[in-house]
Structure formats: C-alpha cells, structure tokens
Amino acid sequence: MPFPTIGGLVIDTGGVPVTFSTDPNTYEPLNWQKRHSVHMVIGGKIVIQDFGTFMRDNALNLRGAPPQFLDEPTVIALHTRFRTKGASYGFTDWIGNVFTVFIREFVPVPFRKGADQAGGVVSLYTYSMALRVLSITKLFNVTYTGS
C-alpha cells in the first residue's frame, strides 16, 4: 500500500489541478546544470569561466516505484497533459517551490490491477517523469528573484 502524501505535488493548468496520489520515491527539484567552461592553459593552469545558473536550466526528475504508486485517474490526467502539444503548467511541491513547467517525459508503467474494498477495480502504476522549468515564482517558499 502506498505511503500517504506528505504535502503532495500538484500540476495545474489554471483549470482543474492534478494532485499526485502519492509522493514520488525520487524527487529531484533542483537539478540545475551550471553554465561554465574549463580551459587548460600553458603551465598546467586552468581558467574557469562561470556563467552561473538560469531558471530554465533547471530540470525536475520524479520517479514512483513500489510502494509509491499513482492511481489510474491520476495517470490518465497526467498523461493527457503530457500529450497536449506545447502546453506549460503550474507546478507546486511540498518544499514550497512554485514553477511553470513543460512536461518533457511521462512514462507510466502498469504495476497491478485489483479490487478495492468496495469491489471496484483499482489499477496502480509506477512512473518516471521529467519536467523542464520555464519560470520560477518561489524557491524554498521564498520569492525567486534570479534569472
């Protein structure tokens, strides 16, 4: 049985928000690649050019594996948003981050189908998801002022 969410992840289109039915096992919200170059020069020295980070360099990676599953209604809602061409979404997490993201990848994998206590059919999914940050409103619940 999945662990309960501790605050959840939400993707919102400005219409109906999709709240993840469980938190992911792996969540990398600050996966920035720093823009820089390293040059080896005469005499064994190194020159480093550091151009810093930019909000659009951030990529979010999520993965849900046993015992953290998504239920079928959540998978359908997320996959529908993934398939929408050129769409961007608001994204919030339990850390207090508020991003606008593009869903680069969403791969749900059926794990198990069974019956719930009321006799209804339940399907559970593991998943991986990759998001590209387009803008940052808050980082660690503080208004983001970077570029």
Side-chain angles (χ1 to χ4, degrees):
M1 194 67 187
F3 295 118
T5 60
I6 60 171
L9 300 172
V10 179
I11 288 186
D12 190 3
T13 60
V16 178
V18 177
T19 302
F20 284 61
S21 50
T22 61
D23 294 323
N25 297 81
T26 303
Y27 177 51
E28 300 172 359
L30 304 171
N31 195 8
W32 261 302
Q33 294 292 318
K34 193 172 211 182
R35 294 182 186 214
H36 72 285
S37 65
V38 177
H39 304 278
M40 293 187 280
V41 297
I42 296 174
K45 296 184 179 182
I46 293 178
V47 174
I48 299 174
Q49 294 179 312
D50 186 348
F51 304 106
T53 59
F54 298 86
M55 68 176 110
R56 289 183 176 232
D57 294 335
N58 192 10
L60 285 67
N61 297 309
L62 302 84
R63 188 168 109 67
Q68 300 298 90
F69 301 101
L70 291 179
D71 61 19
E72 191 165 65
T74 304
V75 167
I76 291 168
L78 290 172
H79 204 265
T80 299
R81 282 152 181 78
F82 166 67
R83 292 188 328 264
T84 303
K85 185 177 179 181
S88 61
Y89 304 100
F91 182 85
T92 58
D93 63 21
W94 66 86
I95 302 169
N97 297 324
V98 179
F99 303 118
T100 300
V101 297
F102 168 75
I103 303 173
R104 189 169 54 96
E105 174 186 299
F106 179 58
V107 182
V109 179
F111 181 78
R112 182 170 293 156
K113 190 171 197 158
D116 62 13
Q117 293 175 346
V121 175
V122 176
S123 293
L124 300 174
Y125 294 79
T126 61
Y127 68 95
S128 63
M129 183 178 235
L131 307 171
R132 175 58 78 176
V133 172
L134 302 176
S135 67
I136 301 172
T137 304
K138 287 188 174 186
L139 194 63
F140 297 112
N141 210 26
V142 176
T143 301
Y144 185 73
T145 58
S147 56

